Amino acid sequence: MNFLKTGKKLDSEIFSNFLKIAENISYKPYGNSDYATASTENFLESNEYTDRLLKIINPKLNIAFPLILCVPRNTKMGIHVDSHPTRKSVISWALTEDLSSFSETYFYKDNQITETLFYGLDGVLVNTQVPHNVVNNNQNRYSLQICLYNDFDEVISIHNTEGIFNDSY
């Protein structure tokens, strides 16, 4: 298992705010890749909605930062493993009004797809330490991500014993 649907939806006000931000910021390329990111250092740090969102995360999780990831339309994110220690795992939400247009994430072993993640409204805990990618369609693909120093198995353990979210915003 390389992902876990958390059952936690963004409240409508938080979702609307982050979707509006996602659609209106200028994304910068990440290294030599064909996808782009905008991170907390650029715009999310002082956002009241980010503060509300982070308050629902179990304090046992070691949060690196929130970011919005944009995979531009008609691009393919290469198969990769996130190497930065701030992205050992992420909690991610699709930022779209139309989930049918939100491209799936593929997980690989020996260059063969082993799992496919179809996003819903719920947040998803994603193991970024296994090979994965996105092949995007003709829509920009925005996701709100809480990047964690914790590895996937550690977050699963916390989820199984006490949950990764507090009850309310």
Side-chain angles (χ1 to χ4, degrees):
M1 170 175 70
N2 293 306
F3 63 88
L4 172 74
K5 294 193 176 186
T6 66
K8 189 66 164 182
K9 295 174 179 59
L10 295 173
D11 82 15
S12 60
E13 188 179 15
I14 289 175
F15 172 84
S16 296
N17 177 267
F18 284 117
L19 178 59
K20 185 183 211 179
I21 290 171
E23 294 174 337
N24 289 296
I25 60 175
S26 176
Y27 292 88
K28 59 186 178 193
Y30 181 77
N32 294 323
S33 67
D34 53 1
Y35 63 100
T37 63
S39 69
T40 185
E41 293 82 17
N42 293 334
F43 68 95
L44 293 178
E45 194 167 86
S46 63
N47 185 303
E48 70 177 278
Y49 298 100
T50 302
D51 295 342
R52 285 175 53 196
L53 179 63
L54 294 179
K55 285 180 184 175
I56 67 166
I57 306 294
N58 184 322
K60 288 190 177 176
L61 295 180
N62 192 355
I63 298 169
F65 51 84
L67 65 76
I68 293 176
L69 178 75
C70 172
V71 180
R73 63 180 53 93
N74 302 316
T75 61
K76 177 181 179 181
M77 182 186 295
I79 299 171
H80 67 285
V81 172
D82 292 21
S83 59
H84 202 279
T86 60
R87 289 182 57 85
K88 287 186 176 179
S89 61
V90 299
I91 303 169
S92 180
W93 288 268
L95 291 177
T96 181
E97 297 284 354
D98 178 14
L99 285 169
S100 68
S101 71
F102 196 82
S103 297
E104 48 280 331
T105 300
Y106 301 104
F107 296 90
Y108 295 82
K109 183 173 183 178
D110 300 325
N111 286 324
Q112 299 296 315
I113 295 173
T114 58
E115 286 184 276
T116 303
L117 168 55
F118 296 94
Y119 276 78
L121 295 174
D122 296 348
V124 181
L125 172 64
V126 178
N127 186 351
T128 60
Q129 301 304 296
V130 297
H132 60 282
N133 80 331
V134 171
V135 178
N136 203 12
N137 56 32
N138 63 354
Q139 303 290 320
N140 283 336
R141 181 186 189 269
Y142 303 111
S143 59
L144 173 62
Q145 299 184 352
I146 306 298
C147 302
L148 302 171
Y149 289 103
N150 309 80
D151 66 32
F152 183 78
D153 291 336
E154 181 182 1
V155 180
I156 291 291
S157 177
I158 291 169
H159 169 76
N160 289 338
T161 57
E162 58 192 90
I164 57 177
F165 295 104
N166 301 318
D167 290 333
S168 64
Y169 296 94

